[in-house]
Amino acid sequence: MNRHGWSRTTAYAVGAAVLLAAATGCSGGGDSGAASAALAPSGTTAPAGSPSPRTGTATPPPSAAPAPAATDAAAWAKWNLTPLPPAPPAPADKPVKLQRTGPVPVFSEVKTADKVVFVTIDDGAEKDPKFVEMLTDLKVPVSMFLTRDIVKDDYGYFKKLQALGNHVHNHTVDHAQLSKAAPEKQRSEVCDAQAALTQQYGTPPLLFRPPYGDGAHTPALNSSVQQCGPRAIVLWRESMQIHDMQYQAADRKLRPGDIVLAHFRGPKDLKGETMTQMFGEMLARIQEQGFAVARLEDYIAAPAG
Ligand SMILES: [Zn+2]
């Protein structure tokens, strides 16, 4: 593979599929609730700024509407990428249903037959403006697990990504190894990050990820998370490196509903590669396997009320 490993771009028209998604992209607002205000436009098809239809009776435009697809293809070509398949509509019946109280579930994938994976990006060290441009162009949904002390010098960077419809979640105050921490330290790592991220981003993080996944299955950490507000602990199945993903599965293949871990990293941590190069390679690995990227929060029902 050459150093960058970019795939040759072929700009396929995906008009029909986009149209289908547009026609069914609204599930009728079934489980609105606390999180709905934050669940910003999840449509991957509507042009930026255009209101998505909120009624179930919205009629799709007749037959060919090639403009959005053509725009998409051009956007992907700009980044030397082949477009991913469009994500299917968000499921009306969410596979993950979170409870308001009690132990929080720990999961690494979402049960779904949809040929989708979910992209999560951790920490927040690299704040590359080009990455904002890339996500603006490609409209690939991501979920951000931010570490307070790594992002606090520029909370605003992640607000730009949030404005694209992406959600912010909790990844501790200073990336401590939680299984080695006393209960009070665990609580402050989760609760203090929760407070700061809530203040900055306007919504309490719904999800928590412990650094390194460490302690995720311990009762002590579960208790700390419960006390601080997040309602699930989210791990991962694949971890993006520089050019390829590490797979937990022996066959090194994505499966529907897998959660993929990536990091906000730049050339210092990626042997000279940039954040957008790394992310492009990750999308190419996903595209090669025929998967779409869906929004994780579209598959999760926040606690009612
Ligand atoms: Zn981390």
Side-chain angles (χ1 to χ4, degrees):
M1 180 189 295
N2 69 35
R3 180 160 169 275
H4 297 290
W6 297 110
S7 59
R8 298 278 298 171
T9 298
T10 311
Y12 292 112
V14 290
V18 168
L19 194 60
L20 178 64
T24 55
C26 174
S27 61
D31 50 55
S32 52
S36 67
L39 286 171
S42 59
T44 54
T45 54
S50 78
S52 58
R54 300 305 301 171
T55 67
T57 56
T59 310
S63 65
T71 306
D72 283 355
W76 288 79
K78 171 182 165 184
W79 297 93
N80 290 327
L81 292 168
T82 302
L84 293 180
D93 183 25
K94 309 299 183 193
V96 178
K97 296 177 175 67
L98 301 182
Q99 305 301 316
R100 178 158 297 287
T101 57
V104 302
V106 183
F107 57 91
S108 310
E109 79 273 308
V110 172
K111 284 193 175 59
T112 179
D114 294 346
K115 199 167 182 189
V116 299
V117 296
F118 306 99
V119 172
T120 61
I121 317 181
D122 281 15
D123 302 353
E126 181 73 357
K127 303 167 184 78
D128 183 348
K130 279 280 183 193
F131 184 61
V132 178
E133 182 184 334
M134 185 182 210
L135 286 197
T136 303
D137 287 345
L138 303 184
K139 303 179 179 66
V140 172
V142 301
S143 302
M144 301 178 276
F145 288 80
L146 302 182
T147 300
R148 186 196 72 182
D149 287 358
I150 298 177
V151 302
K152 67 182 180 185
D153 63 337
D154 190 2
Y155 284 118
Y157 175 80
F158 303 93
K159 290 176 185 173
K160 294 174 192 163
L161 297 175
Q162 184 189 32
L164 299 176
N166 301 309
H167 294 241
V168 169
H169 301 291
N170 186 331
H171 194 47
T172 75
V173 166
D174 60 8
H175 217 263
Q177 192 170 352
L178 295 178
S179 73
K180 298 193 186 319
E184 311 80 59
K185 166 73 169 167
Q186 280 194 358
R187 272 198 301 279
S188 67
E189 282 283 342
V190 184
C191 285
D192 293 357
Q194 189 79 357
L197 295 171
T198 301
Q199 189 198 10
Q200 286 296 325
Y201 299 107
T203 307
L206 182 61
L207 310 174
F208 175 76
R209 174 175 284 161
Y212 323 104
D214 179 53
H217 294 283
T218 64
L221 182 56
N222 203 292
S223 173
S224 294
V225 172
Q226 290 175 49
Q227 292 171 54
C228 299
R231 291 311 307 160
I233 294 173
V234 176
L235 301 176
W236 60 90
R237 283 293 177 212
E238 287 81 28
S239 172
M240 182 62 194
Q241 307 300 305
I242 300 175
H243 298 289
D244 204 354
M245 289 191 273
Q246 283 181 351
Y247 297 81
Q248 293 173 8
D251 63 3
R252 296 176 47 80
K253 286 187 176 141
L254 296 170
R255 285 171 174 68
D258 276 2
I259 294 170
V260 178
L261 165 66
H263 291 86
F264 288 97
R265 284 177 179 159
K268 185 162 54 72
D269 294 314
L270 298 176
K271 299 185 178 167
E273 298 285 295
T274 63
M275 176 82 190
T276 56
Q277 286 173 321
M278 177 277 292
F279 201 80
E281 301 235 29
M282 185 191 70
L283 295 176
R285 301 293 87 76
I286 294 169
Q287 188 274 333
E288 287 160 6
Q289 298 180 60
F291 280 77
V293 175
R295 188 177 299 290
L296 178 59
E297 294 81 2
D298 283 350
Y299 284 69
I300 297 175

